[in-house]
């Protein structure tokens, strides 16, 4: 059986207390944070402190051939994603289908010590508990064996209760010498994060210890997933015995069979060599029982990629950042051409990733506009036909897409949000294609008559015209609402295109260049897939999806400036042509005003924006309030509107009310989930903070779903990641009466019974920029194309020598030579920071019986 030892939190006893159990390496925590597993470090050496970061890129594509769970012969499937049995993602429900399509993408940041990610396909039921259809589990080792990502169809397997284990158990194991024979002493101290097996959201755990034909049990701890036993058992240790010590955790049930919670199997021979061992052991499933067959549960198409990055201190990346920034500032007239070389050596497979990373890097340096302007010039320099401009998936197109999502998402929400909400609420039947029209009955009861095709087409055209007019009206009023950096970038694009195509026959080309990004690559995709742009929490049904698709087509026609090619593709869109032509006039007027921004106005708008603390996350939450004291105390949740900025967590009665500062950002110590049994809900979080006099306080906030819960936890953890006094442990329960509901300890100030999860976060469009990580990602990409860079450098050197009378190279290749030297320096920094790659988990003399 595979065995892993988990890293210890600082609140737990030291893993190195046993002789000979020193780990090979100790990892350095980030400055200002507490390491998830603090181990005794070696004497300090002259090396760079590294931070290892892991992330999962997840795309849940679709399912097929799922079993029918409803009496209608269909299902309402959705997916739950769990990392080490912790739910972090819930997809939208796709109603009444056995072949659902989700197409949802997520990126999760995790500690490097996670073990597995599991995908559970569920069937949503309105009146009863949701049914489990099946699951797919991918271990960390499986993902690590696919450097380019795990991709493809995977069969769903039945959920086996003997495999659904989680949590860790704290054991102290000793070999005690005796007069006649040695004895094996096993102390069962405590456990944490056990699986809740009972309806009350907890378990009644006890432990069985097996060795050499004898079995001993601990007492039962009622209603706890964080039990503490502190019980010791001894067994006679026969000389030369090869039997393993088995420690099993069970949930006690009065009526039904006890539920299995996990097991640990220890190699006693190795224990005899080590004499003693203490630490937290990860509970493992019972592999001895036969695994259930896959059956006919259908399949799930996934794309999952694990990325481990070792990030060096900021100073190590400064030469790379300065070199790239220098090239952008010089533009195409400078001595070097690093950005063109990077574009040339980047293949289509990773172009979007490279574009996003470069964009974020330059955005953090205040050079996003200059970087994009350089890409515009490069694209225009190789474009001869105006109708092909920015139509390919070039680095310029991909970078501009990323720029609009990073810098313009709030602007997008302000424009499209009300329109999308209206389409979802109305749920009107809209169709313009005569071949797809469905004739339906209309009229009041008893006076039904079939609606004619002409009536359907006319009503549909009216509905789409109304939505288009509302959308264009919102766009035309939004000039001042558009971020200054976006306006300035579009100004540069407009000017560059007009300079490249100055003739009268190309007078619309500068406008089309702007709309090719604003309408075709930003507004239209958001209209077609509002959930992917965070405009809605659920996918649209078939009728609403068709309305959104037709509206997106109309917006594309307006963005194309009513080009004849667009009209020829779908002749049945002709009824909307008057509205499209009028929309073109309004959109050109909007673009003229949008790009009419001078440098001073840009700086003033940017300065005004910087003076405000933009909200990182906002929305309604329910805050827990306790009324009365003692046994008659009652609790309830009150709805308030919360706003999280980079300065504080504030609240108000309504979104438009004046906000009151609730918790200062610097005082936050932890943001964690609360056990379901505490309030009867699995969507409650706690924010632990220090009040004005330094005392620890806790506020409980309830969210409406698991996604909202994880989004708020992610936002709180990101903005407080550099706080100096972050906690390493916490209580997942509440202090009710005279004890903690999780571990039953009676001391309110008792150390936490579970590890905090400050490094588990979801990536969002409005995340703070991470300069070191972006620089590391660029370094890793350049390292992968280093051979191509060297070939390019040699080619440039050869050309320069041929042109030079003296036969010596000139300046044009110098920046590329500098880049190659910087890459070499970073490679040496990585290799010298540690003598060898740090293990994912500490090495111990003890291993489990295989």
């Amino acid at each position: 059986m595979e065995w892993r030892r988990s890293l210890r939190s600082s609140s737990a006893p030291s893993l190195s207390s046993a002789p000979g159990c020193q780990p090979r390496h100790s990892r350095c925590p980030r400055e200002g944070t507490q390491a998830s597993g603090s181990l005794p470090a070696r004497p300090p050496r002259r090396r760079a402190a590294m931070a290892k970061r892991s992330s999962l890129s997840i795309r849940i594509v679709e399912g097929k051939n799922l079993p029918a769970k409803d009496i209608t012969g269909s299902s309402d499937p959705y997916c739950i994603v769990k990392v080490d049995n912790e739910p972090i993602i819930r997809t939208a429900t796709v109603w009444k289908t056995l072949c659902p399509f989700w197409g949802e993408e997520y990126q999760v940041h995790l500690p490097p010590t996670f073990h597995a990610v599991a995908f559970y396909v569920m069937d949503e039921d309105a009146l009863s508990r949701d049914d489990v259809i099946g699951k797919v589990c991918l271990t960390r080792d499986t993902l690590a064996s696919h450097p380019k990502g795990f991709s493809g169809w995977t069969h769903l397997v039945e959920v086996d209760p003997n495999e659904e284990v989680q949590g860790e158990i704290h054991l102290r194991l000793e070999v005690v010498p005796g007069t006649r024979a040695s004895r094996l002493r096993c102390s069962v101290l405590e456990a944490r994060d056990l699986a809740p097996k009972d309806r009350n959201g907890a378990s009644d755990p006890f432990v069985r210890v097996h060795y050499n034909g004898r079995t001993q049990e601990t007492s039962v701890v009622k209603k706890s997933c964080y039990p503490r036993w502190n019980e010791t058992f001894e067994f006679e240790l026969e000389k030369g015995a090869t039997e393993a010590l088995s420690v099993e955790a069970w949930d006690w049930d009065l009526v039904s069979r006890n539920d299995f919670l996990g097991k640990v199997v220890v190699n006693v021979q190795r224990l005899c060599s080590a004499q003693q061992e203490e630490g937290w052991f990860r509970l493992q499933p019972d592999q001895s029982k036969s695994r259930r067959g896959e059956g006919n549960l259908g399949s799930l198409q996934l794309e999952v990629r694990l990325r481990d990055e070792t990030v060096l201190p900021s100073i190590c990346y400064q030469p790379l950042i300065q070199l790239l920034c220098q090239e952008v500032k010089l533009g195409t007239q400078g001595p070097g051409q690093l950005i063109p070389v990077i574009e040339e050596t980047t293949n289509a497979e990773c172009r979007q990733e490279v574009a996003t990373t470069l964009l974020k890097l330059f955005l953090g340096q205040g050079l996003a506009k200059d970087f994009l302007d350089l890409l515009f010039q490069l694209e225009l320099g190789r474009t001869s036909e105006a109708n092909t401009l920015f139509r390919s998936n070039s680095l310029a197109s991909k970078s501009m897409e990323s720029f609009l999502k990073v810098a313009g998402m709030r602007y997008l929400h302000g424009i499209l949000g009300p329109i999308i909400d209206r389409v979802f609420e109305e749920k009107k039947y809209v169709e313009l294609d005569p071949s797809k029209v469905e004739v339906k009955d209309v009229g009041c009861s008893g006076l039904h008559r079939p609606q004619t095709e002409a009536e359907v087409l006319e009503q549909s055209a009216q509905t789409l015209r109304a939505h288009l007019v509302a959308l264009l009206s919102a766009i035309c009023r939004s000039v001042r609402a558009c971020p200054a950096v976006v306006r300035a970038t579009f100004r540069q694009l407009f000017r560059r295109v007009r300079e490249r195509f100055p003739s009268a026959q190309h007078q619309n080309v500068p406008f089309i260049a702007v709309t090719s990004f604003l309408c075709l690559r930003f507004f239209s995709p958001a209209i077609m897939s509002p959930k992917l742009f965070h405009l809605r929490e659920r996918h649209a049904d078939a009728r609403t999806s068709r309305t959104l698709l037709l509206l997106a087509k109309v917006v594309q026609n307006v963005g194309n400036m009513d080009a004849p090619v667009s009209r020829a593709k779908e002749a049945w869109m002709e009824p909307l042509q008057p509205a499209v032509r009028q929309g073109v006039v309004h959109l050109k007027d909007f673009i003229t005003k949008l790009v009419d921004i001078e440098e001073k106005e840009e700086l003033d708008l940017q300065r005004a924006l910087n003076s405000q603390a933009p909200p990182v996350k906002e929305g309604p939450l329910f805050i827990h309030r306790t009324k009365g004291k003692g046994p008659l105390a009652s609790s309830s949740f009150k709805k308030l509107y919360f706003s999280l900025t980079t300065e504080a967590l504030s609240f108000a009665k309504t979104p438009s009310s004046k906000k009151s500062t609730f918790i200062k950002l610097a005082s936050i110590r932890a943001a964690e989930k609360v056990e379901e049994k505490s309030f009867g809900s699995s969507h409650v979080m706690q924010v632990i903070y220090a009040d004005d006099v330094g005392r620890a306080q806790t506020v409980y906030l309830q969210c409406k779903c698991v996604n909202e819960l994880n989004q708020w936890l992610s936002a709180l953890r990101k903005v407080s990641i550099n706080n100096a006094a972050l906690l390493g442990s916490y209580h997942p329960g509440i202090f009710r009466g005279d004890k903690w509901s999780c571990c039953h300890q009676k001391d309110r100030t008792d150390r936490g019974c579970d590890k905090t999860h400050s490094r588990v976060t979801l990536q969002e469009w409005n995340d703070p920029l991470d300069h070191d990580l972006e620089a590391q990602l660029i370094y890793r990409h350049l390292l992968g194309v280093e051979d191509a860079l060297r070939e390019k450098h040699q080619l440039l050197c050869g050309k320069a020598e041929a042109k030079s009378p003296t036969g010596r190279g000139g300046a044009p290749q110098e920046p590329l030579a500098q880049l190659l030297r910087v890459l070499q320096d970073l490679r040496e920094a990585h290799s010298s920071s540690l003598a060898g790659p740090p293990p994912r988990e500490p090495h111990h003399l003890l291993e489990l019986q295989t």
Side-chain angles (χ1 to χ4, degrees):
M1 179 185 296
E2 181 188 5
W3 175 72
R4 296 275 187 255
R5 174 70 72 89
S6 66
L7 284 174
R8 304 279 309 284
S9 69
S10 61
S11 60
S14 172
L15 281 175
S16 59
S17 57
C21 291
Q22 289 287 349
R24 291 177 179 170
H25 299 280
S26 61
R27 272 168 288 198
C28 300
R30 289 186 61 185
E31 183 180 355
T33 64
Q34 190 168 7
S36 59
S38 54
L39 295 165
R42 289 181 173 184
R45 296 185 294 175
R46 296 183 63 183
R47 65 187 186 186
M50 298 192 304
K52 191 168 184 179
R53 309 183 192 181
S54 295
S55 64
L56 280 176
S57 298
I58 298 173
R59 185 167 188 257
I60 305 171
V61 187
E62 59 182 323
K64 67 179 180 181
N65 302 328
L66 301 182
K69 291 291 185 178
D70 300 335
I71 59 175
T72 59
S74 186
S75 292
D76 303 315
Y78 66 92
C79 283
I80 290 286
V81 183
K82 296 183 180 182
V83 174
D84 290 344
N85 295 290
E86 184 72 17
I88 58 171
I89 294 169
R90 184 199 192 278
T91 69
T93 301
V94 183
W95 304 101
K96 299 179 181 179
T97 181
L98 301 180
C99 297
F101 178 82
W102 291 288
E104 298 188 16
E105 298 181 13
Y106 304 91
Q107 185 156 348
V108 187
H109 300 285
L110 300 163
T113 52
F114 85 95
H115 298 90
V117 55
F119 301 83
Y120 291 78
V121 180
M122 312 288 291
D123 170 55
E124 183 169 337
D125 289 323
L127 302 178
S128 60
R129 180 173 293 185
D130 294 350
D131 300 314
V132 181
I133 295 177
K135 77 168 186 176
V136 171
C137 185
L138 301 174
T139 65
R140 194 189 199 284
D141 292 337
T142 300
L143 295 173
S145 65
H146 294 78
K148 293 186 177 181
F150 177 91
S151 178
W153 287 95
T154 307
H155 291 292
L156 293 169
V157 298
E158 189 174 353
V159 175
D160 187 346
N162 289 313
E163 294 184 1
E164 297 301 300
V165 301
Q166 66 185 63
E168 301 164 321
I169 188 167
H170 187 188
L171 302 175
R172 184 188 301 122
L173 305 167
E174 301 173 89
V175 176
V176 183
T179 55
R180 286 184 292 179
S182 299
R183 299 183 65 81
L184 174 60
R185 179 180 296 167
C186 175
S187 297
V188 182
L189 305 178
E190 57 186 324
R192 62 188 178 198
D193 195 28
L194 298 180
K197 294 292 185 178
D198 300 335
R199 289 185 176 273
N200 58 15
S203 290
D204 303 321
F206 69 96
V207 173
R208 287 177 182 162
V209 184
H210 304 271
Y211 180 69
N212 200 19
R214 290 187 57 201
T215 300
Q216 300 187 60
E217 295 184 355
T218 67
S219 58
V220 177
V221 179
K222 295 292 188 70
K223 299 180 181 180
S224 176
C225 293
Y226 300 84
R228 294 184 180 180
W229 293 285
N230 293 316
E231 298 184 28
T232 302
F233 307 101
E234 290 192 357
F235 302 89
E236 289 188 4
L237 189 61
E238 296 182 4
K239 194 171 183 179
T242 59
E243 185 176 348
L245 174 72
S246 176
V247 181
E248 298 179 353
W250 291 83
D251 168 51
W252 178 83
D253 287 321
L254 178 63
V255 179
S256 59
R257 288 173 48 186
N258 295 336
D259 299 311
F260 179 71
L261 294 176
K263 66 188 297 185
V264 172
V265 182
V266 182
N267 187 316
V268 176
Q269 289 182 322
R270 293 183 179 272
L271 178 61
C272 291
S273 301
Q275 291 298 304
Q276 64 177 0
E277 176 79 1
E278 179 183 348
W280 287 94
F281 294 79
R282 181 168 175 255
L283 292 170
Q284 299 288 334
D286 189 357
Q287 302 285 4
S288 62
K289 298 185 179 180
S290 60
R291 185 185 181 90
R292 301 185 182 184
E294 293 178 358
N296 188 20
L297 300 178
S299 303
L300 190 63
Q301 187 181 7
L302 300 169
E303 296 174 10
V304 186
R305 183 182 181 186
L306 169 65
R307 173 171 292 158
D308 290 322
E309 295 294 344
T310 301
V311 181
L312 298 171
S314 300
I315 192 172
C316 298
Y317 298 108
Q318 286 306 306
L320 176 61
I321 295 175
Q322 291 173 3
L323 185 60
L324 293 174
C325 290
Q326 179 183 359
E327 288 294 304
V328 168
K329 291 176 182 177
L330 291 173
T332 56
Q333 304 303 318
Q337 296 287 326
L338 285 187
I339 299 301
V341 171
I342 291 176
E343 181 178 23
E344 183 180 335
T345 55
T346 301
N347 57 34
E349 183 180 353
C350 61
R351 190 170 294 139
Q352 180 65 72
E353 179 184 341
V354 173
T356 301
T357 305
L358 283 171
L359 186 278
K360 288 184 177 180
L361 180 69
F362 290 119
L363 195 63
Q365 301 298 320
L367 293 173
K369 180 184 67 175
D370 304 88
F371 168 62
L372 292 169
D373 184 39
L374 174 58
L375 295 180
F376 296 154
Q377 296 178 64
L378 294 172
E379 180 95 357
L380 287 165
R382 58 175 175 260
T383 302
S384 57
E385 297 293 333
N387 58 357
T388 63
L389 184 62
F390 299 117
R391 297 295 179 176
S392 64
N393 290 323
S394 62
L395 189 64
S397 299
K398 294 296 185 182
S399 298
M400 194 63 182
E401 284 182 30
S402 299
F403 171 67
L404 290 175
K405 290 180 180 178
V406 173
M409 190 67 81
R410 195 177 301 279
Y411 170 68
L412 174 85
H413 281 214
I415 291 177
L416 291 186
I419 311 296
I420 298 298
D421 289 343
R422 189 177 308 127
V423 173
F424 271 79
E425 292 165 3
E426 291 179 353
K427 293 185 178 180
K428 291 182 178 180
Y429 176 67
V430 176
E431 184 55 72
L432 289 180
D433 187 351
S435 64
K436 297 182 179 180
V437 170
E438 297 177 3
V439 178
K440 59 179 182 177
D441 290 342
V442 295
C444 58
S445 178
L447 298 176
H448 290 285
R449 66 173 180 82
Q451 192 178 29
T452 64
E453 179 181 301
E455 290 176 333
V456 173
L457 295 175
E458 177 59 29
Q459 290 181 4
S460 299
Q462 290 179 2
T463 301
L464 287 174
R465 275 194 292 267
H467 290 321
L468 179 62
V469 169
L471 176 57
L472 290 173
S473 177
I475 291 175
C476 292
R477 295 194 307 266
S478 68
V479 173
R480 299 289 297 179
C482 186
V485 66
V486 176
R487 293 183 61 187
T489 302
F490 278 131
R491 177 196 62 202
Q492 291 298 104
L493 173 62
F494 192 88
R495 290 178 179 177
R496 296 294 185 188
V497 175
R498 188 167 55 185
E499 292 170 0
R500 175 65 179 82
F501 297 99
S503 63
Q505 63 176 347
H506 294 140
Q507 60 179 351
N508 279 340
V509 174
F511 295 96
I512 295 177
V514 174
T515 58
S516 66
F517 293 115
L518 191 64
C519 294
L520 276 63
R521 294 177 182 262
F522 197 39
F523 286 158
S524 289
I527 293 172
M528 287 190 290
S529 304
K531 186 181 187 300
L532 301 185
F533 285 75
H534 309 285
L535 287 163
R536 299 289 297 186
E537 293 182 0
R538 292 178 175 268
H539 288 300
D541 56 25
R543 174 176 292 187
T544 305
S545 293
R546 183 60 180 170
T547 304
L548 294 174
L549 176 61
L550 292 173
L551 180 59
K553 285 179 177 290
V554 179
V555 172
Q556 288 176 353
N557 287 346
V558 175
N560 286 324
M561 298 292 149
D562 192 25
V565 177
S566 299
R567 293 198 301 269
K569 285 182 179 179
E570 293 158 334
W572 43 265
M573 297 282 289
E574 183 63 30
L576 294 177
Q577 284 309 119
V580 169
R581 285 191 288 270
Q582 188 177 7
V584 169
V585 175
H586 292 316
L587 192 60
K588 290 178 69 174
D589 181 64
F590 162 75
I591 293 173
T592 302
K593 296 177 181 177
L594 185 74
V595 301
D596 185 19
I597 178 174
E598 299 300 328
E599 296 287 346
K600 183 178 182 305
E601 184 182 2
E602 177 189 348
L603 293 174
D604 291 341
L605 291 174
Q606 192 63 42
R607 195 177 297 114
L609 179 64
N610 293 338
S611 65
Q612 304 172 357
V616 176
K617 176 75 176 171
E618 55 186 354
L621 293 173
F622 295 85
I623 184 171
H624 179 255
R625 297 288 177 87
T626 302
K627 299 179 181 179
K629 294 183 179 181
L632 299 179
S634 62
S635 62
S636 61
F637 283 91
K638 181 180 180 180
K639 184 177 180 180
L640 294 172
Y641 190 86
F642 282 83
S643 177
L644 175 66
T645 67
T646 54
E647 297 177 355
L649 177 65
S650 307
F651 72 90
K653 291 184 177 180
T654 64
S656 57
S657 303
K658 183 179 179 181
K659 295 180 176 61
S660 302
T661 300
F662 184 37
I663 300 174
K664 293 181 180 179
L665 188 65
S667 65
I668 294 178
R669 300 293 176 259
E672 299 292 337
K673 295 180 181 179
V674 179
E675 276 189 307
E676 180 179 357
K677 70 172 186 176
S678 299
F679 297 106
S681 171
S682 59
H683 305 144
V684 179
M685 65 177 174
Q686 56 178 310
V687 182
I688 305 171
Y689 64 99
D691 60 16
D692 294 337
V693 296
R695 292 175 300 188
Q697 303 290 344
T698 304
V699 61
Y700 300 98
L701 302 171
Q702 181 174 348
C703 307
K704 60 183 177 181
C705 63
V706 64
N707 281 351
E708 185 181 64
L709 172 66
N710 285 309
Q711 289 166 7
W712 271 103
L713 286 172
S714 293
L716 287 163
R717 290 167 181 170
K718 290 170 190 172
V719 296
S720 61
I721 190 64
N722 292 320
N723 286 2
L726 292 178
L727 297 178
S729 63
Y730 78 108
H731 286 283
I734 60 174
F735 197 83
R736 179 175 290 158
D738 62 346
K739 63 182 180 181
W740 286 101
S741 63
C742 45
C743 57
H744 299 174
Q745 299 305 301
K746 296 183 180 297
D747 185 359
R748 192 183 189 110
T749 61
D750 185 64
R751 67 175 177 84
C753 55
D754 197 8
K755 299 177 294 186
T756 54
H757 306 85
S758 60
R759 297 181 65 182
V760 180
T761 59
L762 295 172
Q763 182 166 308
E764 299 286 349
W765 59 269
N766 57 347
D767 278 353
L769 297 175
D770 190 334
H771 311 299
D772 296 343
L773 179 58
E774 308 303 340
Q776 167 62 24
L777 294 176
I778 289 296
Y779 159 71
R780 182 175 50 77
H781 168 72
L782 294 175
L783 203 62
V785 297
E786 187 177 16
D787 291 341
L789 294 176
R790 290 192 181 278
E791 291 179 6
K792 186 69 175 178
H793 177 241
Q794 293 173 0
L795 180 62
L796 291 175
C797 287
K799 290 182 178 180
E801 290 176 357
K803 291 181 179 180
S804 175
T806 60
R808 296 180 181 179
Q813 75 275 14
E814 184 60 26
L816 193 52
Q818 292 179 18
L819 178 62
L820 292 171
R821 287 198 295 270
V822 168
L823 295 181
Q824 178 63 29
D825 292 341
L826 281 171
R827 186 192 294 110
E828 292 176 358
H830 273 277
S831 59
S832 64
S833 57
L834 283 177
R840 188 170 76 249
E841 293 176 346
H843 170 74
H844 292 273
L845 295 176
L846 269 183
E847 293 181 1
L848 289 192
Q849 186 74 30
T850 58

